[in-house]
Amino acid sequence: MAEEIARQAEKLDFLIQSLTKMSRLESNILEVRPKEQNLGKLLEECIADVAPKAEKKQIQVINNCVDNITAFYDFKWTKEALYNVLDNAVKYSSPGGAITLDLLQDGENVYVLIQDEGRGIAPDDLENVKLKFFKGKGAVRGSGIGLAVVDEIMTALDGSADISSELGKGTTVTLR
């Protein structure tokens, strides 16, 4: 019972923190301060933060990213967005799977692609997954706030968060 109470308290704490962040971003109380910086450290920290959960599910996180790419971003908030995406990838992937990170550069735009081998998102749900509190059909985990926070952060950074998915094959989130 004590373990379950602790687990539920942790989930509630995460929800409260996410709602607070969302509210502050929406009301422009917190500012994002993008500056040009290398993406290597950001990716390494996010992967390290999600590693314990990935290891517990025997999920391999593959970083195919080149170290010498820079972009204009706010380290703290971009880390929050990327961590949320990676956390979802672990959460919705089957044990023994893999999550792959790739970087693409197209002119001034830099894209971080996070691809999982999870169960995927139903086509009917795909257009709504970034809405606050939306949980797709069959979703049993999560609060429905994580991707809304990601979308809000990326919008504040003049970027974007695009999601593509195929049922039974996985999901790819592209952060620009």
Side-chain angles (χ1 to χ4, degrees):
M1 293 280 285
E3 286 178 19
E4 182 60 21
I5 290 170
R7 196 173 68 78
Q8 292 300 325
E10 186 177 306
K11 287 171 65 176
L12 185 58
D13 181 55
F14 174 79
L15 178 60
I16 291 167
Q17 287 182 29
S18 294
L19 288 171
T20 302
K21 290 172 192 170
M22 175 68 82
S23 173
R24 289 179 177 168
L25 282 165
E26 287 176 338
S27 61
N28 294 319
I29 291 173
L30 294 178
E31 289 184 38
V32 293
R33 293 184 177 95
K35 65 179 183 178
E36 186 172 16
Q37 50 197 321
N38 189 292
L39 287 164
K41 182 180 178 192
L42 172 75
L43 297 170
E44 287 174 15
E45 284 191 22
C46 287
I47 291 168
D49 288 349
V50 81
K53 290 180 182 181
E55 289 170 7
K56 190 174 183 178
K57 288 183 75 175
Q58 298 177 339
I59 293 172
Q60 184 180 11
V61 180
I62 303 163
N63 183 1
N64 291 330
C65 300
V66 181
D67 283 339
N68 61 353
I69 293 182
T70 61
F72 280 92
Y73 67 96
D74 178 289
F75 191 90
K76 176 186 174 187
W77 289 106
T78 307
K79 182 179 177 183
E80 178 81 24
L82 182 56
Y83 175 81
N84 280 352
V85 173
L86 283 170
D87 188 54
N88 274 355
V90 171
K91 194 182 303 179
Y92 293 105
S93 290
S94 299
I99 298 166
T100 306
L101 284 84
D102 289 295
L103 269 180
L104 300 174
Q105 191 165 16
D106 178 20
E108 292 183 8
N109 291 311
V110 176
Y111 303 88
V112 179
L113 287 78
I114 304 96
Q115 184 174 6
D116 68 44
E117 299 173 348
R119 64 178 183 215
I121 301 167
D124 295 348
D125 292 339
L126 204 50
E127 64 190 56
N128 297 314
V129 294
K130 294 189 283 184
L131 297 176
K132 284 185 269 188
F133 305 115
F134 180 82
K135 291 175 74 168
K137 296 175 190 80
V140 293
R141 295 176 221 140
S143 61
I145 194 79
L147 289 176
V149 170
V150 169
D151 191 52
E152 195 68 36
I153 290 169
M154 296 312 295
T155 299
L157 290 166
D158 292 326
S160 61
D162 298 309
I163 303 168
S164 61
S165 189
E166 190 174 339
L167 279 175
K169 296 199 177 189
T171 299
T172 299
V173 177
T174 303
L175 302 178
R176 179 183 60 81

